Amino acid sequence: MTATNANYKKGFIPFAIAALLVGLIGGFTAVLAPAFVADMGLNDNNTTWIALALAMSTAACAPILGKLGDVLGRRKTLLLGIIVFTIGNVLTAIASSLIFMLGARFIVGVGTAAIAPVIMAYIVTEYPPEETGKGFALYMLISSAAVVVGPTCGGLIMQAFGWRMMMWVCVALCVVTFFICSVMIKKTDFEKKSLDNFDKKGAVCVLIFFSLVLCIPSFGQNIGWTSAPFLGVTAVALVTLFLLIKAESSAENPILSGKFMKRKEFILPVLILFLTQGLMQANMTNVILFVRATQPENTIISSFAISILYIGMSLGSVFIGPMADKKEPKTVLTGSLLFTGIGCAMMYFFTETAPFAMLAGSLGMLGIGLGGNATILMKVSLSGLSQAEAGSGTGTYGLFRDISAPFGVAVFVPLFANTVTTRMAGVMANGTAEAAAKSLASVSSIHTLALVEVCCVILAIVAVRMLPKIHNK
């Protein structure tokens, strides 16, 4: 496959602006849930459901809307995605109840799910194969840098004018982006395909099943692993999975393409995603919890944890990701995973008095590895996609990429928190004061977490060595 557009770099500008929009508003709204919950007088645990509503639609709708993009065309799908994204942010700005907010964030996720596959599909189909690493690196840089800037800008606006004004600023950015994209992305001779053979049953099953997959760990942690809601959601998910397999096996043009998914180039990167990329948000949260328990006066790491991690991701995507265009991706990915492993291993040396440089270094090193990993995994997984299946393939990959982080959070955050609780009780039984017991238990627990995560990284490296060579194709 070769690039069909000689001006592919110039053509990517509006798609880059769309990526910037999603990343910037994602950063802005990182401070939304706590502000809304406080404003409405709700319990703090409701912030989980607001984040979950967005994650559900972003992940579950990605393969559906990616497939729809193959039918409607790239320009129309992107513009429709921005419109839906804008509507979701308008509804967020006027939300007056938790249910209203959950619906609004779900709609924002639908818009995101339409935008992201189109951007990745452009890189896959328009960039030359020897340049896709640079394309994905640029995409990752834009997204990561926007998340670094977003929370600060959003926090300043919210502090001065309130969270609703912050959301109206987001709406204004959406409108400007829609205008730019509608002008800059030219209409092409794309032949609109019929929706008659569109896999409607598969789309419904995909939406329900993968939404429930994200609900299962949240229900278990917040409601109880033996509660009726958790067991009910799990049962419905299993039934839907059976229906999904049945629907996709008989569909003429399935949402989840078995031909695309059964390749080593897809299966192994997804496995690596689940072993490593979930470490991002989980370690950021766990390091903050660790510092609060051992150094309650140290507010710096809590304030800058997001920025440290995403700055590292930006550096990794810029300096490591493009190397996969010249060297075999599996070789570069092995090196990138070593950075991830070093970031995790550094946690084993945390103490009650760990200096800020060590805490920041761990998150920064982790971010460098994750930024490089994400760029290279996209290149490997999406290699060889044709124009006809680009939307479907990028949407399917986006689905698994977007659920890998919540999966990691669901596993590693409770692992750390529950271990702290258990070991704290044991220490207090020996007569140690509560604060001191919590500090000692946190140190012990972060060391255990470090060992578990290093093992995950080692398994990921083993999976990398099993990847087929990409440059030979």
Side-chain angles (χ1 to χ4, degrees), residues 132-440:
T132 55
K134 291 181 181 178
F136 286 126
L138 178 59
Y139 174 41
M140 285 297 302
L141 173 62
I142 292 169
S143 301
S144 301
V147 175
V148 172
V149 174
T152 301
C153 294
L156 291 173
I157 296 172
M158 188 179 67
Q159 185 176 3
F161 304 105
W163 66 268
R164 293 189 189 275
M165 178 56 71
M166 178 188 72
M167 291 312 306
W168 286 118
V169 171
C170 292
V171 171
L173 293 173
C174 291
V175 173
V176 172
T177 301
F178 177 84
F179 175 76
I180 293 173
C181 291
S182 63
V183 172
M184 291 192 67
I185 303 177
K186 305 300 181 182
K187 294 182 179 180
T188 64
D189 296 329
F190 178 85
E191 183 178 349
K192 182 178 179 180
K193 301 174 184 177
S194 172
L195 285 171
D196 292 343
N197 294 324
F198 191 78
D199 183 17
K200 299 180 181 66
K201 291 182 180 179
V204 172
C205 290
V206 166
L207 179 60
I208 295 174
F209 173 70
F210 286 102
S211 294
L212 294 179
V213 164
L214 288 177
C215 288
I216 288 173
S218 295
F219 274 50
Q221 292 179 69
N222 292 282
I223 302 176
W225 297 103
T226 59
S227 65
F230 170 76
L231 296 176
V233 166
T234 303
V236 174
L238 292 174
V239 172
T240 308
L241 175 61
F242 171 77
L243 296 175
L244 173 60
I245 295 172
K246 185 177 180 180
E248 297 303 82
S249 62
S250 60
E252 181 179 341
N253 191 18
I255 296 293
L256 299 178
S257 171
K259 179 182 177 181
F260 171 70
M261 294 174 62
K262 70 181 181 181
R263 303 175 310 141
K264 279 187 177 181
E265 292 93 331
F266 179 82
I267 295 173
L268 292 174
V270 167
L271 175 61
I272 296 165
L273 277 173
F274 276 83
L275 285 170
T276 61
Q277 297 305 94
L279 302 176
M280 177 179 69
Q281 294 182 19
N283 276 14
M284 182 174 64
T285 301
N286 286 334
V287 168
I288 291 174
L289 293 175
F290 171 79
V291 172
R292 287 179 178 175
T294 58
Q295 305 175 34
E297 74 286 351
N298 184 358
T299 59
I300 297 178
I301 193 69
S302 299
S303 302
F304 292 101
I306 296 176
S307 296
I308 293 168
L309 189 66
Y310 280 93
I311 288 172
M313 288 185 66
S314 299
L315 294 174
S317 64
V318 170
F319 293 107
I320 298 178
M323 292 172 63
D325 286 335
K326 297 180 179 179
K327 297 182 179 180
E328 186 58 41
K330 61 189 291 184
T331 301
V332 182
L333 187 55
T334 301
S336 184
L337 283 168
L338 289 176
F339 280 98
T340 306
I342 292 171
C344 296
M346 287 178 68
M347 296 193 305
Y348 188 78
F349 300 96
F350 285 4
T351 64
E352 296 95 326
T353 58
F356 173 76
M358 176 178 283
L359 301 169
S362 176
L363 289 175
M365 193 70 71
L366 178 67
I368 290 172
L370 292 174
N373 299 347
T375 302
I376 302 167
L377 289 173
M378 280 191 285
K379 179 180 177 70
V380 173
S381 181
L382 301 176
S383 61
L385 273 179
S386 66
Q387 180 85 33
E389 60 184 1
S392 174
T394 54
T396 301
Y397 178 77
L399 162 66
F400 288 95
R401 180 195 62 181
D402 292 337
I403 66 175
S404 64
F407 172 82
V409 171
V411 172
F412 290 120
V413 172
L415 174 64
F416 175 71
N418 294 340
T419 305
V420 168
T421 301
T422 302
R423 294 181 180 177
M424 183 177 170
V427 174
M428 290 180 66
N430 295 325
T432 306
E434 182 178 352
K438 187 174 184 180
S439 179
L440 290 172

Side-chain angles (χ1 to χ4, degrees), residues 46-58 102 105-106 211 213-219 406:
N46 286 298
T47 58
T48 298
W49 309 121
I50 295 174
L52 181 61
L54 178 66
M56 284 169 57
S57 55
T58 300
L102 294 180
R105 301 313 291 165
F106 189 91
S211 294
V213 164
L214 288 177
C215 288
I216 288 173
S218 295
F219 274 50

